[in-house]
Amino acid sequence: MLLEKLKRYNVVLASNSPRRRELLADLGIEFQVRTLEGIDESYPPEMPVLEIAEYISRKKARAYQAEMAEDELIITADTVVILGDEVLGKPADADDARRMLRELSGKVHKVVTGVTIVTANATRSFSAVTDVEFAPLSDEDIDYYVDNYHPLDKAGAYGIQEWIGCMGVRHINGSFYNVMGLPLHRLYNELNQCIMHNA
């Protein structure tokens, strides 16, 4: 079983995200959190939008590899929201959050999470994509969410597990957990593959 196999590693979640911490804990994996400041999360402007999250997760992983111990397994991740060809990152301020939510209102967008798993002798990266459809959102809905929740630390200015997701998301195609920040089913299987190839 994966959880038994993982006991020979010191699993490190390299993320500031409280959602990712909750999700990884939900898999029953014991881990510690480690964060580094100042990691460059830029990407080439010509890069296809569906490849950006995985690219950034690999950049994050390289930053942690320099200091990793022999027995560590490090997980890095990045989530982007894509509307058409536009990448919606974390909003700069409340007005920017309102702008993003008005753009997402009544439309289908993609949420892509890229994940990289690193051990002393292996690296695996993958992406998961979920299509999310918002019903039309009124200005009152958007104002209420921005004023009462925490959209500024979330790509696309929303958390699907929060009020706006409960009342505004009409349909999703793909992993719900991916929209929260970690595609758990895929991550579990990729961890299994990584450890099997490391055995």
Side-chain angles (χ1 to χ4, degrees), residues 110-132:
K110 294 185 183 297
V111 180
V112 185
T113 298
V115 180
T116 297
I117 303 164
V118 179
T119 64
N121 43 5
T123 300
R124 293 178 76 88
S125 295
F126 65 92
S127 293
V129 182
T130 303
D131 292 321
V132 181

Side-chain angles (χ1 to χ4, degrees), residues 89-178:
K90 295 174 183 176
D93 53 33
D95 285 342
D96 197 30
R98 291 184 176 90
R99 175 192 67 80
M100 289 185 185
L101 291 169
R102 282 195 295 269
E103 288 186 13
L104 295 172
S105 173
K107 297 174 187 166
V108 176
H109 63 276
K110 294 185 183 297
V111 180
V112 185
T113 298
V115 180
T116 297
I117 303 164
V118 179
T119 64
N121 43 5
T123 300
R124 293 178 76 88
S125 295
F126 65 92
S127 293
V129 182
T130 303
D131 292 321
V132 181
E133 179 185 0
F134 265 114
L137 302 170
S138 70
D139 286 345
E140 290 81 4
D141 293 334
I142 291 170
D143 286 341
Y144 175 80
Y145 178 69
V146 172
D147 291 342
N148 290 278
Y149 291 85
H150 305 284
L152 301 187
D153 71 338
K154 298 175 179 70
Y158 79 94
I160 195 169
Q161 73 279 11
E162 295 179 338
W163 178 83
I164 202 161
C166 298
M167 59 72 65
V169 170
R170 178 183 282 161
H171 180 75
I172 72 167
N173 183 22
S175 167
F176 174 85
Y177 299 110
N178 183 52

Side-chain angles (χ1 to χ4, degrees), residues 13-81:
L13 176 63
S15 176
N16 277 315
S17 166
R19 272 88 49 197
R20 290 197 184 110
R21 295 176 196 182
E22 291 170 15
L23 290 171
L24 192 58
D26 286 344
L27 277 183
I29 295 172
E30 294 182 12
F31 64 95
Q32 60 176 272
V33 173
R34 186 181 307 155
T35 57
L36 294 175
E37 298 299 320
I39 296 176
D40 175 23
E41 298 187 15
S42 63
Y43 53 88
E46 70 279 5
M47 176 169 280
V49 290
L50 293 178
E51 297 177 13
I52 290 170
E54 187 173 331
Y55 176 85
I56 295 174
S57 80
R58 287 196 299 269
K59 286 184 81 171
K60 291 178 178 178
R62 283 194 292 271
Y64 286 89
Q65 270 181 298
E67 301 176 4
M68 73 181 293
E70 187 73 20
D71 66 343
E72 287 185 334
L73 182 152
I74 297 176
I75 300 168
T76 61
D78 191 76
T79 301
V80 297
V81 171

